[in-house]
């Protein structure tokens, strides 16, 4: 209500005053509404770092109005994927670029892709479709020439259907959450993703860093940039469950294909290493600092 608006206005004025006082070289903003907190003279040194796809901007008029208001005023809009960046430019945000999020760890080791263990790792939320992952694994494992097992790690509550699926198949194991994803990936030779939608799923790239290929169905704008079909894993059309089961069976039976995709995944992951991503950020800071100095 009115009281909230007044309090918010006071906070915005206080933020503008504070930013003016400290006069930062660079301002990084991660919430579109907070662009109104930035003093106009600092806008050319401001980066708006958007944490999801540009598709969300097109869904909300409030996003669109704010971005249009600032499109020629701030230094740079930074997006998490090249697809988002290109969509933003078509929208009119010409001062856009893409900087990927970095992988949180590095791994000198690579997984032994001859082991017969597949992995599901993620939040137990509806869009992840754990039920689908279990069903498709069971279907593919029934067809495979050799025995396979599926390990499930995640955060959140398992739904009753998933619990029943796990209880019904001794090949499927629920192992709780993990704080050491690198060690988990290194014990597996295939990563299963069945999400309906994702922003920029670093979990796929973490698997890649360990040399583990991914099989996934199209989960949105970033999918072709995260899973390079036929190079770092297998990417299928959204909802293509029959094709997923068939491709998964092929992966279970072909260690040579897993090795080929795993090697490609490991090589691709190097582009998401922290030093590589940090260098892009430092380059952007330098660019905006020079722009600010010339104004």
């Amino acid at each position: 209500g009115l009281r909230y608006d007044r309090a918010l206005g006071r906070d915005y004025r206080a933020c503008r005053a504070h930013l003016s006082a400290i006069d930062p070289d660079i301002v990084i903003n991660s919430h579109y509404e907070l662009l109104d907190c930035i003093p106009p003279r600092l806008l050319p040194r401001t980066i708006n770092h958007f944490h999801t796809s540009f598709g969300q901007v097109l869904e909300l008029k409030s996003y669109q109005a704010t971005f249009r208001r600032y499109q020629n005023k701030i230094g740079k809009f930074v997006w998490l994927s090249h697809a988002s960046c290109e969509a933003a430019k078509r929208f009119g945000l010409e001062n856009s670029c893409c900087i990927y999020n970095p992988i949180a760890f590095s791994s000198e080791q690579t997984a032994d892709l001859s082991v017969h263990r597949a992995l599901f790792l993620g939040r137990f939320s509806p869009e992840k479709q754990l039920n689908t992952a279990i069903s498709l694994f069971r279907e593919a494992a029934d067809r495979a020439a050799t025995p396979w097992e599926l390990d499930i790690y995640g955060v959140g509550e398992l739904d009753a259907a998933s619990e029943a699926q796990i209880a019904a198949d001794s090949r499927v194991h629920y192992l709780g959450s993990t704080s050491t994803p690198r060690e988990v990936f290194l014990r597996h030779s295939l990563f299963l993703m069945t999400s309906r939608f994702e922003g920029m799923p670093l979990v796929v790239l973490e698997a890649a860093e360990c040399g583990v290929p991914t099989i996934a169905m199209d989960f949105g704008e970033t999918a072709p940039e995260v899973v390079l079909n036929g190079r770092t894993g297998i990417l299928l059309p959204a909802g293509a469950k029959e094709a997923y089961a068939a491709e998964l069976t092929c992966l279970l039976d072909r260690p040579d294909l897993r090795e080929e995709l795993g090697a490609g995944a490991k090589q691709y992951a190097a582009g998401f290493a922290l030093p590589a991503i940090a260098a892009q950020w430092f380059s952007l800071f330098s660019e905006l600092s020079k722009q600010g100095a010339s104004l």
Side-chain angles (χ1 to χ4, degrees):
L2 186 58
R3 180 180 296 180
Y4 174 81
D5 290 340
R6 288 174 176 170
L8 191 62
R10 286 195 299 271
D11 289 342
Y12 276 27
R13 289 191 293 274
C15 184
R16 281 193 291 269
H18 180 67
L19 287 172
S20 291
I22 63 175
D23 192 27
D25 295 322
I26 298 292
V27 177
I28 301 177
N29 175 65
S30 60
H31 196 289
Y32 76 107
E33 289 180 329
L34 297 183
L35 287 170
D36 292 337
C37 296
I38 300 171
R41 69 181 183 84
L42 293 180
L43 288 173
R45 288 183 260 163
T46 294
I47 296 167
N48 191 86
H49 188 219
F50 203 66
H51 287 276
T52 185
S53 70
F54 189 78
Q56 187 174 353
V57 175
L58 298 178
E59 292 174 3
L60 295 174
K61 291 183 179 179
S62 57
Y63 278 131
Q64 296 173 37
T66 300
F67 284 163
R68 288 194 188 281
R69 188 161 69 250
Y70 286 99
Q71 67 184 51
N72 297 317
K73 296 178 180 178
I74 71 169
K76 194 72 74 172
F77 291 92
V78 175
W79 304 91
L80 290 182
S81 72
H82 289 291
S84 280
C85 180
E86 292 307 310
K89 288 180 178 179
R90 290 193 296 271
F91 181 78
L93 307 180
E94 292 295 332
N95 54 336
S96 288
C97 71
C98 167
I99 300 180
Y100 290 126
N101 278 342
I103 300 170
F105 60 78
S106 61
S107 178
E108 294 183 2
Q109 293 178 277
T110 57
D112 177 1
L113 301 188
S114 68
V115 302
H116 291 176
R117 302 195 78 87
L119 174 67
F120 178 98
L121 191 157
R123 295 192 318 276
F124 298 139
S125 49
E127 75 277 5
K128 305 294 184 181
Q129 300 193 116
L130 174 58
N131 295 341
T132 298
I134 296 172
S135 295
L136 293 175
F137 169 79
R138 293 174 67 182
E139 183 177 344
D142 285 345
R143 299 175 184 169
T146 53
W148 275 75
E149 300 192 30
L150 171 65
D151 292 334
I152 297 169
Y153 289 84
V155 177
E157 294 292 327
L158 287 171
D159 59 40
S162 295
E163 288 183 338
Q165 286 177 302
I166 293 167
D169 196 323
S170 61
R171 299 170 297 183
V172 181
H173 315 280
Y174 169 55
L175 299 172
S177 62
T178 180
S179 59
T180 57
R182 173 173 48 194
E183 285 71 18
V184 170
F185 284 120
L186 289 171
R187 295 195 295 269
H188 297 84
S189 61
L190 190 59
F191 181 61
L192 275 57
M193 173 172 274
T194 47
S195 298
R196 286 196 302 269
F197 61 86
E198 293 279 351
M200 184 71 179
L202 281 174
V203 66
V204 175
L205 299 167
E206 290 171 348
E209 172 62 18
C210 297
V212 177
T214 293
I215 178 169
M217 288 179 281
D218 191 336
F219 47 78
E221 192 175 89
T222 65
E225 295 178 49
V226 177
V227 183
L228 305 186
N229 187 38
R231 291 177 53 195
T232 69
I234 301 297
L235 181 63
L236 298 155
K241 295 180 182 179
E242 290 185 11
Y244 190 108
E247 292 288 348
L248 179 53
T249 303
C250 181
L251 285 166
L252 298 185
D253 282 339
R254 287 190 56 190
D256 61 319
L257 179 57
R258 297 198 302 274
E259 291 286 349
E260 178 185 340
L261 296 173
K266 178 67 174 176
Q267 182 179 19
Y268 185 58
F272 297 85
L274 182 56
I277 301 302
Q280 295 176 53
W281 277 103
F282 290 141
S283 177
L284 179 57
F285 294 160
S286 177
E287 174 191 334
L288 295 187
S289 294
K290 290 176 182 177
Q291 286 182 195
S294 66
L295 294 176

